[in-house]
């Protein structure tokens, strides 16, 4: 999922996200914030902006478990989030549904109260 993406959310957020091979990302939103990401043993983690070098990276990060190493172009699957991030869904449901169709990826948190649509630039 590395590359440049345009995104919009049902919460009114929009911008451009760049995900790099070196484990970094940047976005045009919120004044151009940036951070790191890591993938290890089926766990994708995006550490919080504070303490991103913490040893407990899985606890201080938006963490999605059971992510396959290769993402198929027609993926539609639900993955568990780390329990501490269950509120991202807005309803206490700690799941992330990922649907891939062509150049578009839709992320739905919880029961879909929060969603982000990303399109590869």
């Amino acid at each position: 999922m590395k590359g440049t993406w345009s995104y919009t959310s049902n919460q009114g957020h929009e911008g451009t996200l760049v995900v790099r091979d070196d484990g970094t990302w940047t976005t045009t939103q919120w004044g151009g914030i940036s951070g790191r990401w890591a993938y290890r043993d089926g766990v994708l983690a995006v550490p919080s902006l504070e303490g991103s070098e913490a040893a407990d990276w899985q606890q201080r990060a938006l963490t999605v478990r059971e992510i396959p190493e290769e993402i198929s172009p027609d993926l539609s699957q639900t993955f568990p989030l780390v329990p501490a991030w269950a509120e991202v869904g807005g309803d206490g449901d700690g799941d992330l549904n990922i649907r891939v169709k062509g150049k578009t990826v839709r992320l739905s948190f919880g029961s879909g109260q929060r969603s982000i649509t990303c399109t590869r630039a």
Side-chain angles (χ1 to χ4, degrees):
M1 306 283 36
K2 299 166 196 159
T4 301
W5 299 85
S6 297
Y7 66 88
T8 59
S9 80
N10 67 347
Q11 305 291 308
H13 306 295
E14 60 182 59
T16 300
L17 171 69
V18 178
V19 181
R20 296 182 190 85
D21 287 332
D22 67 358
T24 62
W25 60 267
T26 59
T27 181
T28 57
Q29 192 176 359
W30 299 298
I33 63 171
S34 61
R36 301 198 55 77
W37 64 271
Y39 177 82
R40 287 185 247 177
D41 302 324
V43 177
L44 175 65
V46 181
S48 61
L49 295 176
E50 305 80 29
S52 61
E53 301 301 319
D56 61 342
W57 66 277
Q58 288 189 27
Q59 297 303 316
R60 298 189 53 84
L62 173 58
T63 303
V64 184
R65 300 184 186 280
E66 303 172 19
I67 296 285
E69 192 165 330
E70 296 291 325
I71 302 294
S72 71
D74 60 351
L75 177 75
S76 181
Q77 190 170 344
T78 299
F79 301 94
L81 291 171
V82 152
W85 284 87
E87 290 306 314
V88 170
D91 59 4
D93 182 354
D95 291 333
L96 170 64
N97 180 270
I98 300 175
R99 287 183 299 196
V100 179
K101 186 168 186 168
K103 294 182 177 185
T104 301
V105 176
R106 182 174 170 86
L107 309 172
S108 297
F109 295 88
S111 61
Q113 288 182 339
R114 297 179 197 258
S115 63
I116 302 168
T117 302
C118 307
T119 304
R120 190 177 292 277

